Amino acid sequence: ADTNRPPGHILIIDSYSGNTLKSAVVPDSNETYMFPLYVDLNNDNNYNIIFGTGGETMAGNLWISNFSDLINENLFSATPLLNTSTLGIIAPPSLADLNNDNILDIISQSFDGKITAINGESLAVIWEFHIPGTESSASPIIGLFSGSDNEPDVFATVYKGVNSSYSDYYQILLDGQSGNLLFKDSIGNFNFATPISFDSNSDGKDEILLSITNNVTGLFEHELILIDFI
């Protein structure tokens, strides 16, 4: 793989003119694909940005920085959020209060397939889930899926194999508080996309809408699948 790549930058762009107002290189001078998140995790009007570095073949990290650092065009005091990531962060993380402390936690899925829940106050890892030999460029999504509690859970899409050579596609549901596996399936021949979570039948619980592709006698056929965990 070509490792001689220019470093990524986080930008603020004038929405009227398209001019760059602020620009800061990412702390590890790596490539970046993920669009940044502008967040107020504990609702105190102090904003952070969350951004990812690395890619399909290059290691990176998930970072959090004060928004004021971007205003000052210097992100080198940003905090790395993941312990290890053999590949980069492509899909943006999701936010949800997993531990009932009224502070949003960060749920990330790196390209190496690992799903990590990060405490929004301490920035410590709450739990990790990983199926060895998988990758993913899909975001984990949040919903009230389980019938056993009324707490947010995490649904994720992962691919078995390595980039450009995948042999299977898994859909998994994790308990939001513990990270324990609640559901695993392999629906369709291809399933790359981030799914959608919503309450389709007004029962107070969320369903999953999957976009999958099937190989039907040599032709690709698209299908939408709705999963009701209740």
Side-chain angles (χ1 to χ4, degrees):
D2 176 19
T3 58
N4 185 22
R5 301 183 184 184
H9 290 69
I10 307 300
L11 309 175
I12 298 177
I13 297 174
D14 187 297
S15 61
Y16 179 75
S17 67
N19 294 333
T20 298
L21 301 178
K22 300 290 180 179
S23 175
V25 68
V26 295
D28 53 5
S29 296
N30 214 329
E31 62 184 5
T32 181
Y33 291 99
M34 188 196 116
F35 67 77
L37 302 184
Y38 176 66
V39 299
D40 177 7
L41 296 176
N42 58 1
N43 199 32
D44 65 354
N45 291 317
N46 288 317
Y47 283 85
N48 295 104
I49 54 170
I50 298 173
F51 56 95
T53 58
E56 299 101 323
T57 59
M58 299 178 67
N61 213 311
L62 187 69
W63 303 84
I64 189 168
S65 177
N66 292 325
F67 180 65
S68 59
D69 291 344
L70 178 56
I71 297 296
N72 294 325
E73 298 186 295
N74 188 332
L75 296 175
F76 290 104
S77 62
T79 300
L81 294 176
L82 299 181
N83 294 330
T84 58
S85 179
T86 56
L87 299 174
I89 312 296
I90 294 178
S94 296
L95 305 176
D97 182 7
L98 299 180
N99 53 8
N100 291 312
D101 63 356
N102 295 315
I103 297 173
L104 291 173
D105 304 306
I106 304 159
I107 304 95
S108 173
Q109 181 160 248
S110 48
F111 195 77
D112 62 10
K114 184 181 295 181
I115 303 160
T116 308
I118 300 163
N119 186 297
E121 181 178 29
S122 67
L123 304 182
V125 170
I126 302 173
W127 51 257
E128 289 182 336
F129 180 88
H130 188 219
I131 299 174
T134 61
E135 297 180 344
S136 183
S137 56
S139 290
I141 63 167
I142 310 301
L144 300 177
F145 301 121
S146 172
S148 61
D149 60 36
N150 203 40
E151 305 294 338
D153 296 310
V154 179
F155 188 91
T157 302
V158 294
Y159 329 140
K160 182 180 180 181
V162 295
N163 185 30
S164 77
S165 181
Y166 298 123
S167 60
D168 209 348
Y169 299 80
Y170 302 130
Q171 302 85 26
I172 58 175
L173 178 63
L174 306 175
D175 181 272
Q177 290 188 323
S178 67
N180 292 336
L181 181 66
L182 301 177
F183 169 94
K184 179 184 176 186
D185 207 335
S186 178
I187 304 171
N189 294 123
F190 300 92
N191 177 205
F192 289 105
T194 300
I196 294 172
S197 163
F198 69 110
D199 184 1
S200 68
N201 55 7
S202 301
D203 66 348
K205 294 289 185 175
D206 294 312
E207 287 74 52
I208 285 289
L209 186 65
L210 288 176
S211 172
I212 66 168
T213 301
N214 295 305
N215 189 337
V216 182
T217 62
L219 298 176
F220 293 123
E221 185 178 275
H222 179 251
E223 191 172 10
L224 292 175
I225 301 288
L226 190 69
I227 304 178
D228 186 343
F229 295 104
I230 304 302

